[in-house]
Amino acid sequence: DTGVSQNPRHKITKRGQNVTFRCDPISEHNRLYWYRQTLGQGPEFLTYFQNEAQLEKSRLLSDRFSAERPKGSFSTLEIQRTEQGDSAMYLCASSTGQQETQYFGPGTRLLVL
Amino acid sequence: DAKTTQPPSMDCAEGRAANLPCNHSTISGNEYVYWYRQIHSQGPQYIIHGLKNNETNEMASLIITEDRKSSTLILPHATLRDTAVYYCIVRVGMYSGGSNYKLTFGKGTLLTVNP
């Protein structure tokens, strides 16, 4: 399957620890997105890359969050000094072309104790 | 992006057609209607999208009213595996930079397919 992949699928951490998630987009998709989803809500946009350039960050993305996409392929999302409110599903999506249909990965579920 | 309104939940019998409505009365002329679904604990799955004509693919049909203020997603023969939250999203469909790229999800409709 050549869909979007995310690792790890689940992460449990203690408050104050740093965590990093990885997203591998569909091959040759030049746009990559991160979303966050809390229980009972729809996904919310966090940030967006076109190739290696991070073009927009949501106000949801505090300074404890950082995302990178070196070489315009995979992306990482790091959360420093995690808080219990960071517990959520972190979703990655990728797209290409004019039609801009975004395809999502399975998500990384984070639990901060 | 225009806002959408969907019923919070719907039930459907297995094997019957599921018709999921969506209101988007403030849709702009260049905004498409997209449908995604999310099965429990999985990432959203793209279903279909359209501008003004009705669309059909292997998963579903999308019926858009002539005034484009509402649409209906039709799953012709619902199965238990179609139980999911269905999201209707309106967004500029053609990438042109700026802030039109992100998807704005509401709470969607929880469709429960019953045996």
Side-chain angles (χ1 to χ4, degrees):
Chain A
D1 186 88
T2 56
V4 178
S5 62
Q6 293 187 247
N7 287 288
R9 295 292 311 279
H10 303 274
K11 179 71 176 178
I12 301 174
T13 191
K14 293 182 179 178
R15 189 174 53 187
Q17 297 295 303
N18 300 343
V19 294
T20 300
F21 310 140
R22 176 177 170 129
C23 170
D24 286 89
I26 293 171
S27 179
E28 298 182 358
H29 275 195
N30 61 336
R31 290 188 280 279
L32 187 148
Y33 314 79
W34 286 97
Y35 292 80
R36 181 174 72 183
Q37 184 175 25
T38 54
L39 207 59
Q41 305 295 317
E44 297 173 289
F45 170 80
L46 290 179
T47 190
Y48 151 71
F49 289 85
Q50 178 157 313
N51 300 313
E52 66 277 7
Q54 187 174 17
L55 297 187
E56 184 164 331
K57 295 191 289 186
S58 160
R59 276 173 269 180
L60 293 174
L61 213 66
S62 76
D63 55 7
R64 296 184 298 106
F65 288 70
S66 62
E68 294 182 342
R69 193 183 182 198
K71 303 179 183 178
S73 55
F74 71 92
S75 176
T76 58
L77 178 67
E78 180 183 17
I79 309 175
Q80 296 182 326
R81 306 180 304 280
T82 52
E83 301 173 355
Q84 287 183 324
D86 297 331
S87 295
M89 171 85 91
Y90 290 84
L91 293 158
C92 176
S94 70
S95 71
T96 191
Q98 285 285 314
Q99 280 292 311
E100 252 295 312
T101 299
Q102 295 180 28
Y103 296 92
F104 284 80
T108 294
R109 187 171 294 282
L110 173 66
L111 177 61
V112 182
L113 301 176
Chain B
D1 291 340
K3 291 184 178 178
T4 62
T5 304
Q6 298 178 255
S9 63
M10 293 183 65
D11 286 323
C12 177
E14 189 177 20
R16 304 297 294 268
N19 297 283
L20 292 95
C22 179
N23 286 321
H24 32 80
S25 58
T26 60
I27 192 169
S28 299
N30 63 347
E31 288 182 315
Y32 284 65
V33 180
Y34 282 78
W35 284 84
Y36 283 78
R37 74 179 182 184
Q38 190 171 26
I39 295 169
H40 183 61
S41 295
Q42 298 183 21
Q45 178 188 23
Y46 165 76
I47 301 173
I48 198 167
H49 73 282
L51 182 62
K52 53 184 178 181
N53 297 322
N54 298 337
E55 302 288 338
T56 295
N57 63 19
E58 65 278 4
M59 289 183 68
S61 295
L62 174 60
I63 308 298
I64 303 174
T65 58
E66 192 169 344
D67 64 7
R68 302 210 323 122
K69 293 185 177 182
S70 66
S71 60
T72 301
L73 179 75
I74 300 172
L75 307 178
H77 306 286
T79 71
L80 299 178
R81 290 183 297 179
D82 292 322
T83 292
V85 177
Y86 287 76
Y87 296 100
C88 169
I89 301 165
V90 293
R91 201 206 67 180
V92 176
M94 301 295 284
Y95 178 75
S96 60
S99 60
N100 63 353
Y101 41 80
K102 56 190 171 186
L103 296 171
T104 302
F105 290 81
K107 292 191 175 183
T109 296
L110 173 60
L111 174 69
T112 302
V113 181
N114 300 304

